[in-house]
Amino acid sequence: MSKTPLIQIRNLHANAGETPILRGLTLELFPGEVHAIMGPNGSGKSTLSNVLVGRPGYEVTGGEVLFRGKNLLEMDAETRAREGIFLAFQYPVEIPGVANNYFLRTAVNAIRSHRGQPRLDAIDFLTLLREKMKLVEMPEEMMARAINEGFSGGEKKRNEILQMLLLDPSFCILDETDSGLDIDALRIVSNGVNQMRSPDRAMLVITHYQRLLDYIVPDRVHVLSKGRIARSGGKELALELEEKGYGWIEDEAGGAS
Amino acid sequence: MSTAIDSLVRLRERFAKDGPGWLVAKRDEALAAFLEAGLPTRRLEAWKSTNLAPLAALEFARIAPTGVATIDAKLAASLPAGVRVRSLAEVLRTEPDRLAGRLGRLADPKKSALVALQTACLEDGVVVELDAGVCLAEPIRIRFHSSPDVYDRPSAAFPRLLVVAGEGSEATIFEDFDSAGAARRAAPGFTNHVAELLLASGARIELVQVQAEPAPRVHFTSVHAEVERGAHFASHVVTLGSGLLRSELDVRLLAAGAETVMNGFFLGQDAAHVDHFTTVDHAAAHCTSAQEYRGVLADRSKGVFRGRVIVRPGAQKTDARQSNPNLLLSDEAAIDTRPQLEIYADDVRASHGSTIGQLDADALFFLRARGIGESEARVLLTRAFAQTIVDAIRDPELRGEIGARVERALAGLESVSADRSGAGGAAPAPEKGGRR
């Protein structure tokens, strides 16, 4: 494992709209690591993922984020993606009129250009696409359809993972990717994620439930409460949370806010 | 009387007495109706948002013979039995009475001054006749191009289309109003096109129209269709020109099971003025109309959409849907959208909605979060907005061709890719209504 962190989040404060949500969050991930972030609703899980990818409507009010030593917060959303940050959205958007395959090729080529790699032509892209689609068990006919249009909840999440496989990011954030999935879809999605685990890549798995972590086993588990990390531990912390709920940690963290 | 009217009345004398007696009488009646009404002004309710003053001021040097309409030669040579695609002039010459009672049956000069003018100046056009049960796989392509010499001095063209579709016949007709390389030296001019389509029971006709004439040419199209029992009429109107345009569509659903799809995509650029006025008349019970016009307005362009839906007394179980979403790409662009529902039956499903907005902020962010640059993402979403209309074209070859033209037109817009502050957060202002 490399000694420099891939991403360093230091004392991050951020608002969603006008409301302060993150209140001094500090977190580091090294290449090869998978961390899980758990926490009750409103603890700041989604704000963290949105801030990291530069979504409009979120304002950083303090702290810093370094991605491979570069100031991430200065980059626009497309630059962050090209630099290797990927968020699998909790609620993937439907875009009627844009074919999935066309979108994917445009995105892959935007990222390849940024990395100084040659653009893929339609044939080469199709070969790559077919290979990745197999991993998430997506039928080919879904590629000609508009982005997520008419997709079931599980299909949308599989499409997110497909994008992750194609764009080859170095830091992946999965925002409640397990929500709304049945057990089969959960297995497929987790397989896709596990395919991506590598010594060069880090992942942040945000989830409300321990269930996902049976499939994607984390190196570290953090509990988010009131906008900061209230407790960190190994994968057994997730089991403890499952058993005891979040109350005891919130009580512990309560005095600090 | 305006300069334009004077010059046109003089020019039409060249052919006003040509053709069979019924046609000469029709032209004269139409001229009388036109002279009485004059060119429409904004004092008329139906013309409130569109100013024809630039047209009134023109002095026309000629009326272009409508020989400029070309029919796809390959197709004409291989037409199956039971399909006839001919020039109007030829039909009038060889079978003078064949079109009596059909030509002008729907387009009433007394109801519209510009239809009256078209009829008064009617000389040529295209006649499509489909015998009962004939299905044509290939689209019938008709190009009305204003040849460069036409552009030297103001000219007017009055092409006409008549489609007579027998019971259960099927065809796609493509009318292309193009500028055939004349854009560089465009001079003022006027195209006034009237189309009439008579669909017998069970006929399925798809009419695809592209209007891409450049400013300063003025374009007027008036399409009239009557749809009999179980027949299906689909209209796709794609407007990409840069001048002053008025496009009217008037569909009458006459008997149970008649259906119409009325689709439109319009792009306003530069100082274009793009006015679409549709009317669907549910004259019988159990008929369906689905209408969607989508507008993209850039630069200083102005769009107008007026959609009248009439449900006659007794037209129960009517299903009438109308929608008009619009994208404004510039602060100087504008859209005036007004649905107009006139419902006189009580067991009816009718809905209408219009929206005016910018690109969807979530979709834009999603694309950027996948590494696609903001300007490219904007182009992609604007194209997607148009694509849903293009996708509804049934003929795959035309669909591809028109999709490519729309794409080219949108790619040429600077304001599509421009970063507009505030576009990220502003939500469309919906204005929805409906009744059951």
Side-chain angles (χ1 to χ4, degrees), chain A residues 53-56 76-78 81-82 86-87 89 93 95-98 102-103 106-107 110 160 163 167, chain B residues 360 362-376 380-381 383-385 387-388 391 407:
Chain A
V53 294
R55 188 176 199 125
D76 57 26
E78 50 268 46
R82 292 168 187 170
F86 182 94
L87 169 64
F89 287 93
V93 63
I95 311 185
V98 180
Y102 182 83
F103 149 67
T106 307
E160 292 292 295
Q163 289 159 37
L167 299 183
Chain B
D360 181 76
D362 287 337
L364 190 60
F365 174 68
F366 172 81
L367 295 174
R368 294 177 63 202
R370 294 298 179 250
I372 299 170
E374 175 159 4
S375 62
E376 193 173 2
L380 214 93
L381 291 176
R383 224 159 57 194
F385 180 79
Q387 192 62 36
T388 47
D391 281 345
E407 205 164 299

Side-chain angles (χ1 to χ4, degrees), chain B residues 37 40 57 75 80 116 147 158 189-190 211-212 217 257 259 261-262 274-275 293 295 298 302 352 367 381 417 421 430:
Chain B
L75 175 78
S147 56
F158 298 93
F190 180 41
Q211 192 289 118
R217 214 170 159 82
E259 288 179 353
V261 168
M262 300 153 79
V274 188
D275 176 353
Y293 271 70
K302 175 159 187 194
H352 64 90
L367 295 174
L381 291 176
S417 53
S421 57

Side-chain angles (χ1 to χ4, degrees), chain B residues 320 341 343 348-353 431-436:
Chain B
L341 270 60
I343 298 178
V348 166
R349 228 174 102 176
S351 65
H352 64 90
E431 179 198 304
K432 284 196 185 217
R435 61 186 277 180
R436 229 213 113 96

